[in-house]
Amino acid sequence: MGLGDIRYDHVIAATEEFRRLGRDTFLQTYGFGRARSYEIVLDGLRYDSKAIAGVAHGYATGDFLRAADFSGGAATVARCLRELGFVVETGEPSRDRAALLARLRKLKVSRGPGTPAPSRHQPLSLLWAISRAADERPRLTPWPTFRDEVGPLLVEFGLPNAKSTPEYPFWHLQGSGLWEVRGIPAELVKKMPNTRTFNEHHPQAGFTAETADLLRDPVTRLDAIATICETYLEDVDRQALFARMGLSGYTTAGGLLSPSGEGSGGAAMDEHGRATGPAARREATRSVIVRDEALARKVKELEDNRCQICGTTLRHLNRPYSQAAHIRGLGSPHHGPDELQNLLCLCANCHVLFDGLEIYVDSDGLVRGTKGDRAPRPLRRDPRHPVDEAHIAYHRALCDLNARTPGAD
């Protein structure tokens, strides 16, 4: 059952009832338990996000949802509430996240004869599975699909002269405690089945339900990607790797246009290769995120249209001009919230550099270049303009992940 009917004022009404009744009575009245993962943070108070969403749905439609009526998590409740402008934070699962990252660092990877380097088969397979999680695809994948998609990746990004043996990570990743295989008869699982058995029984494999649930959180997912790359793929070209893995969204903080989309689009050309008429057009249908223009105006007003990084105040058509930049990008794969705490007021130049992960804000509030080629300078902050340090940290992690690409310096 969808949550698309919920609006901002419905959520506010639910939080007011929450405060009036008290948490325990509110949860008991509407059939919810305490939040295990996500909580709304509003005016310094914390609310159980799934319960608030269920009651807000009641205010919107008259149909008050109970816990069993819909699923919670990053892809549903948290996303819905963030898109409405609310701050949603993870609570208790930090220990689960730490355990996930610890297991990723301690994969039981094999080492080939004559080389101390650990095999990349399991790390590459996990990155491929994370890309599926980011796209909200089924967590379990049939063996033929895994074989045909992961096999070429093992050759392209594996160790030199590595063979394509996708059957090994497909089966042995179970030793990580993060992965499961289904569909092999019990009498055949005492040892690793051969490829003939895989081809005959068409098993499925993928993250366990618990792991998949953790990876629905964009922050945890970014941490997992960074952990895998830094532990096992330090000398692999991140740009090429992410492009092949379907993780290109992690090479930018926003929605920069690809150069491949800037061509002539089929315009008529003369014998010298010059366009002879108007640019060609084509029909296109797309889904775009609806941004709160009032928030954009607010951050520009608070910062007086002055760039918070370089201090420039631009003018366009005889008016001050600035851009509202999201620190943690909206939409997939970052799913940042459209809220004032996730916005900076930047000039067009600094906006491009910030989205392109060329500059970042360090833990001391200084803006630095990812290649160490810029003198640090403080990020300007108006006292009336709160900035969420969690969003700054997320952007910084993206910069760190991409700055480690070989040849980046």
Side-chain angles (χ1 to χ4, degrees), residues 123-391:
L124 290 170
S125 299
L126 289 173
L127 273 185
W128 172 84
I130 289 174
S131 75
R132 289 176 59 87
D135 288 340
E136 299 180 17
R137 299 171 68 184
R139 66 182 180 89
L140 297 179
T141 306
W143 157 246
T145 301
F146 184 95
R147 176 195 60 208
D148 295 344
E149 294 188 11
V150 175
L153 296 173
L154 304 184
V155 174
E156 186 173 352
F157 296 102
L159 294 173
N161 303 316
K163 296 181 180 179
S164 175
T165 55
E167 62 272 18
Y168 284 97
F170 183 88
W171 182 258
H172 288 300
L173 272 170
Q174 293 177 98
S176 67
L178 307 173
W179 190 264
E180 64 176 316
V181 178
R182 293 183 179 180
I184 298 294
E187 63 271 17
L188 299 178
V189 300
K190 294 181 180 179
K191 60 179 181 179
M192 177 181 166
N194 55 35
T195 53
R196 176 182 295 179
T197 300
F198 287 150
N199 293 334
E200 289 176 353
H201 293 277
H202 296 288
Q204 294 184 314
F207 289 120
T208 63
E210 179 183 3
T211 302
D213 189 54
L214 286 170
L215 290 171
R216 289 190 184 98
D217 174 46
V219 177
T220 301
R221 196 163 58 235
L222 174 59
D223 287 345
I225 292 171
T227 297
I228 292 171
C229 290
E230 293 167 6
T231 306
Y232 308 100
L233 306 170
E234 184 70 18
D235 58 346
V236 175
D237 186 327
R238 303 281 168 81
Q239 302 285 330
L241 176 65
F242 289 174
R244 282 284 284 115
M245 287 284 185
L247 294 170
S248 293
Y250 288 95
T251 62
T252 172
L256 294 179
L257 291 175
S258 168
S260 62
E262 299 174 355
S264 63
M269 313 290 281
D270 64 15
E271 68 271 21
H272 301 293
R274 296 174 299 199
T276 60
R281 295 178 179 271
R282 60 182 173 84
E283 295 293 329
T285 301
R286 60 176 182 157
S287 173
V288 297
I289 294 172
V290 178
R291 307 186 184 194
D292 189 338
E293 295 299 330
L295 282 176
R297 290 193 297 270
K298 181 68 173 178
V299 71
K300 295 176 184 181
E301 175 187 325
L302 290 174
E303 299 295 344
D304 198 25
N305 286 288
R306 185 182 177 195
C307 179
Q308 290 181 252
I309 290 178
C310 69
T312 299
T313 301
L314 298 175
R315 296 189 68 81
H316 177 64
L317 299 178
N318 204 32
R319 294 181 179 179
Y321 176 79
S322 61
Q323 297 180 350
H326 286 89
I327 302 167
R328 182 172 142 203
L330 305 185
S332 181
H334 311 303
H335 296 300
D338 193 18
E339 61 185 19
L340 185 62
Q341 297 92 328
N342 191 33
L343 284 173
L344 295 177
C345 177
L346 302 180
C347 68
N349 197 38
C350 288
H351 192 174
V352 170
L353 295 175
F354 191 82
D355 277 0
L357 308 179
E358 297 291 335
I359 54 178
Y360 68 97
V361 183
D362 70 13
S363 57
D364 294 322
L366 297 177
V367 180
R368 298 180 180 273
T370 54
K371 299 178 178 62
D373 55 352
R374 293 171 59 101
R377 60 188 306 164
L379 178 73
R380 291 181 51 257
R381 301 196 191 195
D382 187 284
R384 301 166 296 168
H385 174 199
V387 175
D388 192 329
E389 293 299 329
H391 300 323

Side-chain angles (χ1 to χ4, degrees), residues 36-101:
R36 292 183 298 172
S37 301
Y38 297 96
E39 295 177 325
I40 297 177
V41 181
L42 181 65
D43 297 330
L45 299 176
R46 306 181 78 91
Y47 304 84
D48 304 82
S49 62
K50 187 176 181 181
I52 292 296
V55 175
H57 188 272
Y59 280 110
T61 67
D63 181 13
F64 288 82
L65 303 180
R66 302 179 76 83
D69 294 333
F70 65 112
S71 62
T76 52
V77 170
R79 179 185 299 180
C80 170
L81 295 172
R82 283 168 174 158
E83 288 178 350
L84 291 173
F86 293 95
V87 177
V88 181
E89 295 182 353
T90 55
E92 297 179 0
S94 58
R95 288 178 295 179
D96 295 333
R97 181 189 301 166
L100 165 66
L101 300 181

Side-chain angles (χ1 to χ4, degrees), residues 100-117:
L100 165 66
L101 300 181
R103 288 182 173 182
L104 289 175
R105 294 188 189 98
K106 297 179 181 179
L107 296 176
K108 298 177 181 178
V109 293
S110 61
R111 299 177 186 272
T115 174

